[in-house]
Amino acid sequence: MTVWITLFILCLWRWTGVNMMYYLSGLQQIPGDLYESADIDGANALQKFRFITLPLLKPTTVYVLTISIFGGMAMFTESYLLFNGNKSPNNVGTTIVGYLYRMGMEQNNIGIGCAIGVILLLIVMVINVIQLALNGMFKKGEQL
């Protein structure tokens, strides 16, 4: 359990800054006129957030979710550095990419390493397609 918490904190530290930059960029793209119009119409802060900010940040949110899913599934560096070369106790901190590396490179089992890579690709594709479908990105007429 401690290993998972440590890896979670490392990943949070690694990805929070870049995701904040994406959201800050998305927020800067929202025209101030919309908020001014909402003020004139009597909207409170929660209504402005719900009806202006969230819908206009949808493309940013979809992008951040997509790269975060990929980044989470492709996690290797944190585990490799934390456990001095992919050797966590009882394999608790071994990630799927760490297992791919162990089988393909360390044990020279290239076929199994490639199979793990293909399975990882399929898992990431399925998760991302589901996420995109839930966000309505495949609906006709939907624009980013």
Side-chain angles (χ1 to χ4, degrees), residues 35-47:
Y35 293 109
E36 187 178 340
S37 297
D39 281 333
I40 292 170
D41 289 340
N44 61 27
L46 185 60
Q47 290 171 328

Side-chain angles (χ1 to χ4, degrees), residues 35-91:
Y35 293 109
E36 187 178 340
S37 297
D39 281 333
I40 292 170
D41 289 340
N44 61 27
L46 185 60
Q47 290 171 328
K48 288 189 277 188
F49 180 74
R50 181 176 174 211
F51 295 111
I52 297 172
T53 307
L54 280 181
L56 293 177
L57 281 179
K58 186 176 180 181
T60 304
T61 302
V62 169
Y63 179 72
V64 166
L65 277 173
T66 303
I67 65 166
S68 295
I69 290 168
F70 177 75
M73 294 298 273
M75 188 173 77
F76 172 74
T77 308
E78 294 86 352
S79 178
Y80 191 81
L81 293 176
L82 187 63
F83 297 111
N84 194 21
N86 211 18
K87 298 173 188 82
S88 65
N90 295 327
N91 293 321

Side-chain angles (χ1 to χ4, degrees), residues 102-117:
R102 179 183 301 152
M103 297 306 285
M105 299 299 173
E106 292 176 355
Q107 295 181 4
N108 203 20
N109 224 339
I110 302 298
I112 292 178
C114 289
I116 294 168

